[in-house]
Amino acid sequence: MLNQSDILQTLDMIDQQHLDIRTVTMGISLRACADPDVRVCARKIYDQICRKAGNLVATGNAIESEYGIPIVNKRISVTPVSLVAESCESADYAILARALDRAAKECGVNFIGGYSALVHKGCTPGDSRLIASIPEALSTTDLVCSSVNVATTKAGINMDAVAEMGRVIKETARRTADADGIGCAKLVVFANAVEDNPFMAGAFHGVGEPECVINVGVSGPGVVHFALKDVHGQPFDVVADTIKRTAFRVTRMGQMVAQAASARLGVPFGVVDLSLAPTPAVGDSVARILEEMGLETCGTHGTTAALALLNDAVKKGGIMASSHVGGLSGAFIPVSEDEGMIAAAERGTLTLDKLEAMTCVCSVGLDMIAVPGDTPAETISAIIADEAAIGMVNSKTTAVRLIPAPGKTVGDRVEFGGLLGSAPVIPLHRESAAEFIARGGRIPAPMQSLKN
Amino acid sequence: MRAIMTVVGPDRVGIVAGVTTLLAALNINILDLSQTIMGGIFTMTLLVDTAEANRPFDEIRTALKEHGDAQNLNIRIQREDTFTAMHRI
């Protein structure tokens, strides 16, 4: 039989250190749902999702019960809706968002992602219509998540789309003003978006994916933090090794659950996403891991180096534990969803500029950050452009999920509840970037040699 | 299926008797058993086979938990795979 202390250690990770599977996400192709009549298209989308994902939640719950490991979220990602809707004669795409919302509720999942467009080199009429409909789609649905890819390393940055997304974020905030602009918490602007990401709000089912697939996102900041307490004060070699060992164990859980879900649902296994995804719960924070390494507060000097080590060690440890690794795979730093990040932002140590630096070395980007409600659209676009530039030049995924909280200013708080958490409104530079954003056009793709 | 059961709580007379009687009633076979006292706390791990059990897994888990709650013990059961995945390469 297994060693008793190993058994008790595993139970301790689950009970005391918040070890869980963060999400089992079913990717579903909607490519067969296109129709000139938008209402027929909506019905086909609803039927396809309910047919494929009808048993997802029940299966997830059964695995949770038998294996004794919590599966926090069951979710669905779909083909970017702009591709499916392109042939619709109507411009009213929000009907399709509401069909996604109904299907998600029927299946019992807590989010559905893929109200998305990929416009890194330019927009088709369908892409433009979808982007224009995002504020309505997110303000008239509960579970739909939207993402727009505005840049890639190979194509450069579509600055027209960047400018448009600043306005879309502002309008989405305005339409959901009664809930602190929560619509923006469901909207991600990407550079180098991945096709198999199981995490919301940026999940969509990419065009290279099969008809249906199971992707799993793991978690475990609490487990890593706990393990590092045992090597307090020791050199970074020991720190990196400890994180790798822990990440290996966490990822093995993800692989096991992914294979079980895949077999029971009769759906191919896609990837395990090796991410350290925090929650607002105490003891489940990425910021606290960085502080455990010796930083007084997350955001102070040294934070970027600490995060770089963490991110790399998580990947190195996790990669051997899974047969297929993909998605975003790295440490997440969503401010409102991480108890330690919230505390650091409230102290003023964790600023937007430091967060931007941190995104150079981790997954994924400026995530769940509340900014003043009167922030101009051009400033939001300029932040998106900066973040996209980091992703483009460094050949990595970056993203922006900002919430310009209506009526709120620096020092106020926004409350989203649940996994989305709460966050202080943090200051931005007041100087304008309007002329920069007004130029439009495309920033050319960067050199990928002569790297310095 | 093979599952790992853990029973943890303050030591006293009759814990093993109570748990194993319940397992027998559920027609669950014990394959291996290890018991110790750690810091005054009774700790027992069992490898069991539920293939011939007379109740579905969910109900077994609930029955064990109810027994544990009544006896001031923390009793859990889960697939052996959870532990082999984490501790065996």
Side-chain angles (χ1 to χ4, degrees):
Chain A
M1 192 166 73
L2 283 143
N3 184 322
Q4 190 170 39
S5 72
D6 287 346
I7 291 171
L8 296 175
Q9 181 194 39
T10 302
L11 295 180
D12 219 35
M13 284 183 183
I14 296 168
D15 288 345
Q16 310 295 327
Q17 301 161 28
H18 302 278
L19 174 63
D20 54 42
I21 301 299
R22 185 50 47 85
T23 181
V24 172
T25 302
M26 177 181 275
I28 302 173
S29 170
L30 299 183
R31 275 151 70 179
C33 302
D35 196 283
D37 183 337
V38 73
R39 291 181 187 283
V40 174
C41 181
R43 199 193 66 231
K44 286 183 178 175
I45 287 175
Y46 178 88
D47 290 346
Q48 165 80 342
I49 293 169
C50 292
R51 196 162 49 237
K52 296 287 183 193
N55 289 327
L56 175 62
V57 171
T59 305
N61 290 343
I63 292 171
E64 185 170 348
S65 165
E66 282 181 32
Y67 289 82
I69 178 145
I71 301 173
V72 181
N73 301 297
K74 293 90 184 174
R75 292 169 169 172
I76 296 168
S77 64
V78 296
T79 307
V81 168
S82 67
L83 303 178
V84 186
E86 188 82 48
S87 56
C88 291
E89 284 156 1
S90 163
D92 183 11
Y93 285 8
I95 292 173
L96 304 176
R98 290 190 281 274
L100 292 175
D101 201 46
R102 283 197 308 278
K105 286 172 181 168
E106 175 63 27
C107 295
V109 297
N110 64 355
F111 278 121
I112 183 164
Y115 198 74
S116 305
L118 310 174
V119 298
H120 35 275
K121 214 164 177 183
C123 289
T124 65
D127 292 330
S128 299
R129 289 197 290 267
L130 182 121
I131 290 171
S133 72
I134 287 173
E136 186 190 346
L138 295 182
S139 59
T140 58
T141 59
D142 299 313
L143 308 180
V144 174
C145 294
S146 177
S147 55
V148 176
N149 192 60
V150 297
T152 65
T153 298
K154 286 190 171 165
I157 306 175
N158 177 352
M159 289 298 289
D160 293 320
V162 168
E164 181 63 18
M165 287 315 295
R167 294 189 286 271
V168 167
I169 288 170
K170 285 285 286 183
E171 177 61 13
T172 303
R174 191 186 69 77
R175 289 201 188 212
T176 52
D178 54 340
D180 282 343
I182 196 169
C184 298
K186 298 180 283 178
L187 173 58
V188 187
V189 185
F190 271 118
N192 290 323
V194 293
E195 299 200 328
D196 51 7
N197 163 25
F199 286 100
M200 296 297 167
F204 63 86
H205 185 71
V207 291
E209 296 285 307
E211 173 78 358
C212 192
V213 71
I214 288 289
N215 296 318
V216 166
V218 300
S219 176
V223 185
V224 173
H225 185 190
F226 189 85
L228 287 186
K229 283 181 182 169
D230 279 347
V231 295
H232 193 79
Q234 297 197 39
F236 284 115
D237 319 64
V238 180
V239 173
D241 203 46
T242 305
I243 296 170
K244 282 195 287 188
R245 287 169 192 274
T246 310
F248 176 82
R249 294 199 166 124
V250 168
T251 309
R252 289 278 283 192
M253 289 281 126
Q255 171 80 9
M256 178 190 75
V257 166
Q259 284 176 327
S262 162
R264 291 179 189 205
L265 290 161
V267 169
F269 158 57
V271 299
V272 173
D273 188 321
L274 310 176
S275 291
L276 279 189
T279 68
V282 172
D284 206 16
S285 158
V286 169
R288 298 298 184 198
I289 298 174
L290 307 179
E291 291 170 1
E292 180 61 38
M293 287 190 212
L295 302 171
E296 186 178 343
T297 304
C298 176
T300 192
H301 306 295
T303 301
T304 310
L307 184 58
L309 181 154
L310 172 66
N311 199 55
D312 184 63
V314 165
K315 288 181 204 178
K316 285 174 177 164
I319 203 143
M320 187 180 151
S322 173
S323 51
H324 296 283
V325 170
L328 300 169
S329 285
F332 292 173
I333 52 169
V335 175
S336 79
E337 299 173 3
D338 185 308
E339 168 269 325
M341 296 278 175
I342 295 169
E346 275 173 344
R347 286 178 68 168
T349 315
L350 188 61
T351 61
L352 192 90
D353 289 345
K354 190 62 181 180
L355 282 160
E356 185 180 314
M358 290 161 74
T359 66
C360 298
V361 298
C362 81
S363 155
V364 168
L366 296 170
D367 198 14
M368 290 302 285
I369 300 169
V371 298
D374 62 0
T375 305
E378 294 84 358
T379 299
I380 293 174
S381 293
I383 294 170
I384 294 170
D386 281 344
E387 199 55 34
I390 290 171
M392 173 182 78
V393 170
N394 294 303
S395 305
K396 73 185 287 291
T397 307
T398 51
V400 171
R401 185 161 51 145
L402 292 186
I403 300 104
K408 301 261 168 117
T409 188
V410 175
D412 292 342
R413 255 185 110 78
V414 295
E415 296 280 349
F416 298 123
L419 272 182
L420 297 174
S422 67
V425 175
I426 63 172
L428 302 177
H429 298 295
R430 306 298 299 181
E431 293 77 9
S432 173
E435 278 189 40
F436 177 78
I437 294 302
R439 286 175 182 270
R442 285 157 53 198
I443 292 182
M447 292 282 291
Q448 286 299 299
S449 60
L450 306 176
K451 284 248 183 191
N452 261 316
Chain B
M1 87 189 188
R2 284 156 64 104
I4 296 280
M5 248 181 86
T6 54
V7 183
V8 179
D11 191 25
R12 59 172 176 73
V13 172
I15 295 179
V16 178
V19 170
T20 52
T21 304
L22 179 56
L23 288 177
L26 293 164
N27 204 38
I28 293 173
N29 192 26
I30 298 173
L31 304 175
D32 200 350
L33 185 155
S34 148
Q35 186 251 302
T36 181
I37 305 291
M38 299 201 325
I41 302 293
F42 174 92
T43 308
M44 176 164 70
T45 51
L46 303 92
L47 175 63
V48 299
D49 185 355
T50 64
E52 303 295 323
N54 52 26
R55 309 256 291 272
F57 190 80
D58 259 351
E59 290 180 25
I60 293 169
R61 202 165 49 92
T62 308
L64 289 169
K65 184 171 184 319
E66 281 170 2
H67 177 79
D69 290 347
Q71 303 290 320
N72 194 23
L73 297 165
N74 183 2
I75 304 186
R76 305 173 59 138
I77 183 166
Q78 54 214 103
R79 271 181 181 266
E80 186 190 25
D81 306 1
T82 303
F83 303 96
T84 45
M86 188 174 270
H87 297 285
R88 297 276 187 274
I89 295 179

